């Protein structure tokens, strides 16, 4: 873990390019807390507000953003790396024009690419440089690939629910990020809250512990209420903000989208080529 930490640290300090794509990793400690539904609905909300958004489903072998969106991508980045397909052919399109890049089994292969293959893959990513936001939906838990994605992106969003088990796992994740000095900031979403008060209290407790024991600043991105319309949306394979935009959770997510667009004083984001360059560096 130590030499890996050094690699991650170097990467965290690495330079970013001047492109304007904000690359955001969305993760959690515990599984099943609502990452994928949040990413899909946030992406659709941002598209509705005129932004161009790409979701990179990086949950190795278990990604299901396509299922949530009710689309059926035929390919994933495995086909780009292994079969010389073009990246635009592999991207699928979801509601409101959101683009999806399924990682599929391709993520595992990134580690094994030689330098020629890496160069070729990076040059193919040129066509992806006109996005405003790229969200990386990771699997749950703390592992090398999740830390690599966090380290390689511009921002980190962490989702928790008010349940103590979810909070302690989110805390462990943030602790690892802070310990390896991968990021010094994270934004927190409290999902499945019974009311806004519970969500706010959850955030403040989390923030209090981080302030006291860790070297990382937590900001509140917002609450999302527990909402059976969301469960229904998953069953119907029609995202919440498409089927029930005026539902409680639907409104919460759209508020978060507006908040993101309104953020001031942002550093410029980096492009997707830089994302993969940094990931290649970590895995080499
Ligand atoms: N705000 C909410 N209200 C009610 N149910 C919710 C809410 N958010 C998520 N869920 C439920 O939790 C389930 C899991 O959500 P989701 O697949 O988005 O989690 P995840 O964190 O991506 O899981 P994994 O760790 O397996 O990738 C959903 O299918 C839905 O039933
Ligand atoms: Mg998921």
């Amino acid at each position: 873990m130590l030499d890996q930490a050094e690699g991650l640290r170097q990467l965290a300090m690495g330079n970013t390019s001047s492109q304007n794509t904000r690359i955001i990793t969305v993760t959690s400690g515990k599984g099943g807390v609502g990452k994928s539904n949040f990413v899909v609905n946030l992406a659709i909300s941002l598209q509705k507000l005129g932004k161009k958004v790409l979701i990179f489903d990086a949950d190795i072998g278990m990604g299901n953003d396509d299922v949530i969106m009710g689309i059926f991508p035929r390919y994933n980045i495995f086909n780009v790396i292994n079969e010389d397909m073009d990246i635009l052919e592999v991207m699928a399109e979801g509601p409101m024009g959101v683009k999806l890049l399924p990682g599929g089994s391709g993520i595992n292969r990134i580690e094994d690419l030689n330098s020629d293959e890496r160069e070729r893959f990076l040059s193919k990513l040129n066509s992806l440089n006109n996005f405003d936001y790229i969200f990386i939906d990771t699997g749950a838990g703390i592992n090398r690939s999740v830390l690599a994605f966090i380290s390689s992106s511009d921002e980190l969003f962490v989702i928790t629910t008010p349940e103590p088990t979810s909070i302690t796992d989110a805390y462990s994740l943030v602790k690892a990020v802070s310990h390896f000095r991968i990021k010094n900031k994270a934004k927190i979403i409290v999902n499945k809250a019974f009311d806004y008060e519970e969500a706010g209290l959850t955030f403040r407790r989390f923030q209090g512990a981080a302030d006291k024991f860790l070297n990382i600043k937590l900001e509140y991105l917002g609450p999302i209420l527990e909402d059976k319309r969301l469960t229904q949306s998953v069953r119907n394979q029609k995202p919440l903000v498409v089927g029930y935009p005026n539902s409680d959770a639907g409104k919460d997510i759209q508020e978060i989208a507006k908040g993101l667009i309104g953020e001031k004083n942002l550093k410029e984001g980096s492009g997707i080529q830089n994302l993969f360059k940094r990931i290649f560096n970590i895995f080499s």
Side-chain angles (χ1 to χ4, degrees), residues 165-177:
T165 43
S166 170
I167 301 169
T168 49
D169 289 359
Y171 183 83
S172 302
L173 171 80
V174 165
K175 186 176 171 187
V177 168

Side-chain angles (χ1 to χ4, degrees), residues 20-267:
N20 253 329
T21 310
R22 282 171 78 181
I23 299 179
I24 301 171
T25 293
V26 180
T27 192
S28 66
K30 195 169 183 286
V33 297
K35 292 179 293 297
S36 298
N37 278 281
F38 171 69
V39 166
V40 164
N41 286 292
L42 182 68
I44 296 170
S45 305
L46 286 165
Q47 285 270 155
K48 278 192 190 171
L49 294 168
K51 300 294 175 188
K52 289 195 179 139
V53 189
L54 171 71
I55 298 172
F56 177 34
D57 191 346
D59 192 351
I60 301 164
M62 308 242 278
N64 51 21
D65 293 330
D66 53 340
V67 182
I68 291 171
M69 289 199 274
I71 60 172
F72 304 91
R74 291 181 54 191
Y75 306 108
N76 58 54
I77 63 168
F78 180 85
N79 303 96
V80 180
I81 293 169
N82 262 23
E83 292 162 18
D84 221 27
M85 271 183 75
D86 194 79
I87 199 118
L88 293 173
E89 298 173 79
V90 167
M91 258 189 335
E93 188 165 315
M96 293 300 299
V98 169
K99 300 287 191 296
L100 175 70
L101 187 59
S105 47
I107 310 275
N108 290 322
R109 276 275 292 142
I110 285 179
E111 293 190 51
D112 308 328
L113 298 185
N114 64 37
S115 58
D116 281 355
E117 288 172 318
R118 285 175 186 209
E119 276 309 311
R120 211 157 27 138
F121 181 62
L122 286 173
S123 70
K124 288 185 183 183
L125 295 172
N126 264 330
S127 46
L128 294 186
N129 269 335
N130 59 346
F131 287 100
D132 298 303
Y133 295 88
I134 296 175
F135 291 103
I136 305 175
D137 181 13
T138 71
I142 308 164
N143 55 54
R144 185 175 156 86
S145 95
V146 168
L147 292 178
F149 282 119
I150 295 173
S151 157
S152 306
S153 27
D154 301 309
E155 292 169 63
L156 166 63
F157 290 1
V158 177
I159 305 202
T160 183
T161 73
E163 291 179 1
T165 43
S166 170
I167 301 169
T168 49
D169 289 359
Y171 183 83
S172 302
L173 171 80
V174 165
K175 186 176 171 187
V177 168
S178 157
H179 176 78
F180 294 120
R181 291 185 238 157
I182 296 170
K183 287 267 178 287
N184 56 16
K185 247 194 330 206
K187 292 185 178 153
I188 309 297
I189 297 108
V190 180
N191 186 27
K192 298 200 205 182
F194 289 147
D195 52 47
Y196 295 132
E197 199 182 337
E198 183 191 39
L201 194 63
T202 302
F203 171 71
R204 286 193 297 280
R205 284 210 186 113
F206 192 179
Q207 185 189 39
D211 278 350
K212 202 163 170 191
F213 302 110
L214 309 177
N215 199 9
I216 188 165
K217 190 168 167 284
L218 303 187
E219 279 172 38
Y220 194 25
L221 196 63
I224 304 171
L225 294 179
E226 165 101 33
D227 189 341
K228 65 176 189 312
R229 292 283 194 216
L230 198 146
T231 325
Q232 222 168 334
S233 303
V234 174
R235 289 188 192 160
N236 299 340
Q237 288 187 263
K238 189 170 182 182
L240 182 73
V241 295
V242 176
Y244 306 105
N246 295 318
S247 59
D248 288 342
K251 285 195 268 192
D252 293 335
I253 296 172
Q254 290 171 95
E255 274 307 306
I256 292 176
K258 282 188 211 147
L260 276 184
I261 290 180
E263 282 179 357
K264 298 259 160 30
N265 301 327
L266 285 170
K267 276 198 300 185

